[in-house]
Amino acid sequence: MYQPNSGEQGQDKPESRLKYFAMIAWIALTFFFTAVALLGLVVLATGGNAAPYEKISISTLLIVAAGAILLIEALTRFMGSPDDEAGQDTAPGGKNGQARVPEKPKLDLKSMLLYVVLVVVILVGGILLNRSLPVFTVSPWISLIIAVIGWVGLKPLFLRKNK
């Protein structure tokens, strides 16, 4: 699986960070189109009006992609990286043969507040852009095709092993 922290000496290469963010956005948009397709197809199968599931705004796609990147970044920063901690101790007993006791993650209120502010900015920006960006009509079947392309394209684009 793709590891974003594969740079030398703890530093990420810019292209690996870009690929990491692209993968997050790709997966979020794939989930979005999968949900829209499934909901639209269920509504069509039950004889309902699928019109609300056929209107997709560019601003909605931007909110989904940017929000997913921000959410994943916030979660990985607050949860800590298990790969970083695993390299500090020797297996299986930790340093000097003693059992390794995981440390409790520290809560950084400043970073958390920054992420909350960024989420609000993304949401407000998306709502403001909603009035000026186009809205496309995409049938549930086309959304399903886009979702399938997203799921099929995930492995060759992002999940291949680096040599």
Side-chain angles (χ1 to χ4, degrees):
M1 188 167 185
Y2 179 72
Q3 295 292 328
N5 296 328
S6 60
E8 295 177 35
Q9 299 173 353
Q11 305 253 342
D12 293 336
K13 295 179 182 178
E15 58 269 3
S16 71
R17 293 296 288 176
L18 181 63
K19 187 174 180 180
Y20 175 64
F21 291 145
M23 181 181 67
I24 293 170
W26 182 280
I27 292 171
L29 291 172
T30 301
F31 269 109
F32 173 78
F33 279 106
T34 302
V36 167
L38 293 177
L39 287 171
L41 290 173
V42 167
V43 168
L44 282 177
T46 58
N49 182 14
Y53 303 105
E54 293 177 348
K55 305 283 186 200
I56 298 176
S57 171
I58 297 290
S59 65
T60 302
L61 298 178
L62 290 173
I63 289 172
V64 168
I69 290 170
L70 191 62
L71 176 67
I72 296 299
E73 276 297 300
L75 287 175
T76 54
R77 296 212 190 240
F78 292 135
M79 298 292 290
S81 175
D83 294 338
D84 295 340
E85 294 173 8
Q88 294 174 357
D89 297 333
T90 57
K95 292 181 180 177
N96 301 326
Q98 298 174 351
R100 181 176 176 270
V101 179
E103 293 182 24
K104 185 176 180 183
K106 297 173 184 152
L107 187 62
D108 186 5
L109 291 176
K110 183 179 175 185
S111 294
M112 187 181 299
L113 183 62
L114 176 66
Y115 283 111
V116 169
V117 168
L118 286 173
V119 167
V120 170
V121 167
I122 288 172
L123 289 175
V124 170
I127 291 169
L128 294 175
L129 286 174
N130 195 24
R131 298 175 190 174
S132 61
L133 292 176
V135 175
F136 295 104
T137 301
V138 180
S139 75
W141 289 106
I142 299 298
S143 292
L144 183 63
I145 291 170
I146 293 170
V148 168
I149 291 170
W151 289 115
V152 169
L154 188 63
K155 183 167 178 120
L157 290 175
F158 301 109
L159 299 179
R160 62 178 176 236
K161 298 279 184 186
N162 292 337
K163 295 181 180 178

